[in-house]
Amino acid sequence: MSSSTLGPASPAHTGGTATEGMNASRRIALIDGIRGVAIVLVVLSHGWVLWPIERIDETAWIRPLFRSGNFAVTVFLVAAGYLSYVSLASRGIHHMRPGVTFVRRVLRVGPSLWLLLAAVLVVSTLDSTDETTASDNVDSVWHVLTYTWNWYVQGNLMTSRPDFGHLWYLSVDMQAFVITAAVLYMMRRRPVGVLFVLGGLLLLLTWWRFHVTDTEFVFQVLVRTTARMDPFVVGVMLGATLPLVRRLDLPQRALRWTSTATLVALVPLAYYCSRDERFLGWGVTLLELDLALLFGAAVLLTRAPRAVGVLSVRPLAFLGRHSLLLYIWHYPVFTFLARHTEDWAWFLRTAVAILLTVLISLAAHRMVERRATELLSHPLWREADNGLVPFTRARATSIWSRTLQQVKHP
């Protein structure tokens, strides 16, 4: 969810001008702003553990604000797909190194996730109100670590850790990345063919989602990889399409109208998608296409219209840049506090829960995420541009040579 390692390369690496660099920064800020709105919707959708929801569900115009978690995750998936393509194709799609990008992706998300899992294991051991057994804790942590959590909960809903429920997204995101990276690698010398293959995959996934929605329990569909990865595929298709669209030199006026119209359309789409059955039907299809047009127009614009530019304001961009940590931590914090504050007023424990989530996320950013970003910025990664195997062989040879020299000349 962060653009720090998945965003477009800087002008220093692409040979772009300073103006292009500033435009790229604004575009990333816009995507971060949209993700900032999305993380707020995710947090609100899980607030049911802290506050009463009867009044909310009875009020038609308020309900979508508190029932748009799936809508928000779709935003994350489309953005992740687009930024993943940019990262994979940073040296040209025919020179892509999916293994290197995969390792960087794990190192980007992993440390923050590992910290959460370690904290939950410690708390579950000390907290008498935590009813999850030790064996179920181990199983749950293992499947989160291996990005198979969404598969596990489909058959183990009653024994899996309930405060890990939201982590299905990280599993689907990683699985979608692996699948699309494999497709891109196989088609790396046929850039137009990539679009046909991805388009066929998108149609297949869309048909399958409609099918399983009619034949399976809604919860299973909502965490099924093949029913949720199509927004990621749309994001990858957007990344693969933009180099071709740039050649058309589309009028800026048309792009401004497109970006504004697609932004405004997100409001009725949020309302429509607030019901799971509508979301799993045409809702997610309309939403992912709308987001692709919005992101695409924003990337091609030299100057965003005022309505779209509002999304790149600092508070929203800040939330978007830290959306990964907020996403990972908010639900475990909410459920922990809910267990220990049953006699508190709902507004008091809500305020404490949000404050605690923010403080923990900021601490995790300082202790873990910032260090992971520094690690991924190390010059050593440039040596891995030719692939993991040559890089590993070269580093092993270097270490072996230094060891022999130390033995010969202690």
Side-chain angles (χ1 to χ4, degrees):
M1 297 177 189
S2 173
S3 59
S4 57
T5 59
L6 292 177
S10 66
H13 294 115
T14 63
T17 65
T19 302
E20 289 170 343
M22 287 189 293
N23 286 338
S25 298
R26 285 197 295 268
R27 292 161 191 157
I28 292 300
L30 173 64
I31 294 177
D32 280 339
I34 295 176
R35 290 190 295 189
V37 175
I39 192 60
V40 172
L41 293 176
V42 167
V43 171
L44 290 176
S45 71
H46 290 141
W48 60 270
V49 301
L50 297 172
W51 55 65
I53 60 173
E54 292 79 10
R55 193 75 171 268
I56 292 173
D57 285 340
E58 292 171 358
T59 310
W61 63 275
I62 293 180
R63 187 182 185 279
L65 189 63
F66 294 85
R67 291 287 190 247
S68 293
N70 289 312
F71 171 95
V73 171
T74 303
V75 173
F76 291 140
L77 285 169
V78 173
Y82 166 67
L83 295 174
S84 293
Y85 179 87
V86 171
S87 182
L88 286 165
S90 60
R91 299 170 67 243
I93 191 66
H94 52 290
H95 292 304
M96 65 179 290
R97 296 289 183 265
V100 176
T101 308
F102 174 77
V103 172
R104 289 179 62 88
R105 193 178 181 85
V106 171
L107 292 177
R108 173 67 187 86
V109 178
S112 300
L113 183 61
W114 304 335
L115 179 62
L116 168 73
L117 297 178
V120 168
L121 285 178
V122 171
V123 171
S124 66
T125 303
L126 303 176
D127 185 5
S128 59
T129 66
D130 192 321
E131 299 179 353
T132 307
T133 66
S135 60
D136 290 336
N137 272 331
V138 171
D139 288 341
S140 296
V141 168
W142 170 251
H143 286 282
V144 172
L145 277 173
T146 56
Y147 297 99
T148 57
W149 173 246
N150 64 312
W151 301 343
Y152 178 72
V153 295
Q154 289 183 52
N156 300 274
L157 180 60
M158 302 306 296
T159 56
S160 58
R161 281 200 66 89
D163 52 356
F164 283 177
H166 64 308
L167 298 180
W168 68 266
Y169 159 74
L170 297 181
S171 295
V172 171
D173 176 73
M174 188 63 76
Q175 294 158 16
F177 170 80
V178 171
I179 293 170
T180 52
V183 170
L184 291 173
Y185 186 75
M186 289 186 292
M187 300 294 295
R188 65 190 182 280
R189 301 192 185 280
R190 297 176 176 82
V192 177
V194 164
L195 293 176
F196 284 98
V197 174
L198 290 175
L201 177 61
L202 177 61
L203 290 175
L204 180 62
L205 291 171
T206 302
W207 168 81
W208 177 250
R209 188 183 70 247
F210 274 95
H211 171 70
V212 293
T213 299
D214 289 336
T215 58
E216 294 185 4
F217 179 51
V218 66
F219 171 78
Q220 289 183 304
V221 180
L222 286 171
V223 297
R224 183 184 286 277
T225 304
T226 50
R228 298 306 300 270
M229 68 174 281
D230 47 312
F232 192 98
V233 174
V234 168
V236 174
M237 289 183 66
L238 171 64
T241 303
L242 283 177
L244 302 175
V245 175
R246 280 193 178 95
R247 301 176 185 176
L248 301 177
D249 194 22
L250 297 175
Q252 288 292 303
R253 184 178 181 181
L255 293 172
R256 285 194 294 270
W257 276 103
T258 299
S259 62
T260 302
T262 50
L263 176 61
V264 172
L266 290 176
V267 176
L269 281 172
Y271 173 81
Y272 185 80
C273 293
S274 61
R275 300 282 182 181
D276 290 341
E277 63 277 7
R278 296 195 303 225
F279 170 79
L280 289 171
W282 287 107
V284 65
T285 297
L286 295 173
L287 175 59
E288 64 196 14
L289 296 178
D290 183 82
L291 288 168
L293 289 172
L294 174 58
F295 290 158
V299 169
L300 295 173
L301 278 169
T302 56
R303 182 180 179 183
R306 183 176 299 178
V308 177
V310 168
L311 286 174
S312 60
V313 296
R314 288 186 178 181
L316 287 179
F318 178 84
L319 287 174
R321 287 195 300 273
H322 295 84
S323 56
L324 172 63
L325 287 171
L326 292 169
Y327 187 92
I328 287 175
W329 282 99
H330 79 281
Y331 195 47
V333 171
F334 283 14
T335 53
F336 173 83
L337 205 62
R339 292 200 308 266
H340 292 272
T341 60
E342 293 181 353
D343 56 341
W344 290 19
W346 68 265
F347 54 86
L348 176 59
R349 64 177 181 175
T350 297
V352 173
I354 292 175
L355 177 61
L356 195 58
T357 300
V358 171
L359 292 176
I360 291 175
S361 297
L362 291 175
H365 171 74
R366 189 176 185 84
M367 293 187 301
V368 175
E369 191 169 81
R370 193 166 66 177
R371 297 182 185 277
T373 302
E374 292 172 356
L375 172 63
L376 294 172
S377 301
H378 195 280
L380 189 65
W381 283 102
R382 296 179 186 174
E383 299 180 23
D385 283 344
N386 292 325
L388 287 179
V389 174
F391 170 75
T392 304
R393 186 185 299 120
R395 299 306 301 175
T397 302
S398 176
I399 294 172
W400 179 250
S401 298
R402 289 200 302 268
T403 303
L404 288 178
Q405 290 179 0
Q406 291 175 356
V407 172
K408 292 179 180 179
H409 307 285

